[in-house]
Amino acid sequence: MDARDQALQATCPVVAAPRFGALPVMPNGQRIIVGRNGWFVQTRLDWLDCIVTLGDGLPRMRLPYGDVVEHLRFSFGMLPIRLIEAFIARGRACLPNEAAGVLIYSRSSGRLRLAMCEPERTSPSRIDYRRPPMAEDETVAVDLHTHGRAPAFWSGQDDRDDQGIKVAGVFGLLDQPAPSARFRLVINGLYKPLERHPWCGPVAADGIASRSGPSAPDESWMHRVLWRWRHLQGPLG
């Protein structure tokens, strides 16, 4: 085998899902898993462990492998609500223009911190920015930006910008009491919507109700955020 192919396959190997045992533990990196129920990609980083399907539908051939179950785990656990509050406040301060920020994960502390991105050009419909400096043990885990007074949605520019591996979030309607939002997991050009995202107003842009079951009339949106984030930790929906 060509040495270049060997290097590529070592970087992203292909493994068959065991039918009777467990998947071998993998170090940080990425691998493709072939299962009886489809093709999947597993990604492990300091802050992330996830398995995501690469396509819909079952293989036409019966494969003699085990089934694979999607899952999503963050090592930092629940997103600190104070960071979301701080980003929303900064986004509102930038109205009518867009704003951008990142939640940076520290391997040494296991925590996230919010850092706003320095805009190079900004308007109500676009922002070009530079990411803030980071320490050697830090990496971007969550990429956030706003759409100002417009609704939250994924634009073509967002698709071009969202590369690598991260969670991406966009907030809209910041001039209203309850902004809308969308979140997705980004895996090297693969986008997995996080419908149970850690932010929601009375009704989110994707039509998901803000709460499940009865609650006090004066319940704040932050309590609803907490509820959503607790229920995000589990199989991908």
Side-chain angles (χ1 to χ4, degrees), residues 49-141:
D49 180 12
C50 70
I51 295 179
V52 179
T53 182
L54 287 173
D56 298 326
L58 298 175
R60 298 183 64 181
M61 175 183 170
R62 287 188 175 182
L63 299 177
Y65 307 135
D67 289 325
V68 180
V69 178
E70 290 186 301
H71 75 254
L72 174 62
R73 298 285 186 275
F74 300 123
S75 62
F76 49 76
M78 189 169 64
L79 190 71
I81 297 306
R82 61 181 177 81
L83 300 184
I84 291 290
E85 286 183 313
F87 178 73
I88 293 300
R90 297 290 291 274
R92 282 177 164 150
C94 293
L95 286 173
N97 295 331
E98 294 189 359
V102 287
L103 299 186
I104 298 173
Y105 176 77
S106 168
R107 183 171 61 252
S108 58
S109 69
R111 296 180 178 179
L112 296 169
R113 67 177 178 91
L114 170 66
M116 298 301 294
C117 298
E118 181 179 353
E120 296 178 332
R121 291 179 299 174
T122 184
S123 73
S125 60
R126 177 168 178 156
I127 181 171
D128 296 324
Y129 58 86
R130 291 191 300 271
R131 280 185 171 176
M134 294 182 288
E136 290 185 3
D137 74 324
E138 290 184 324
T139 186
V140 170

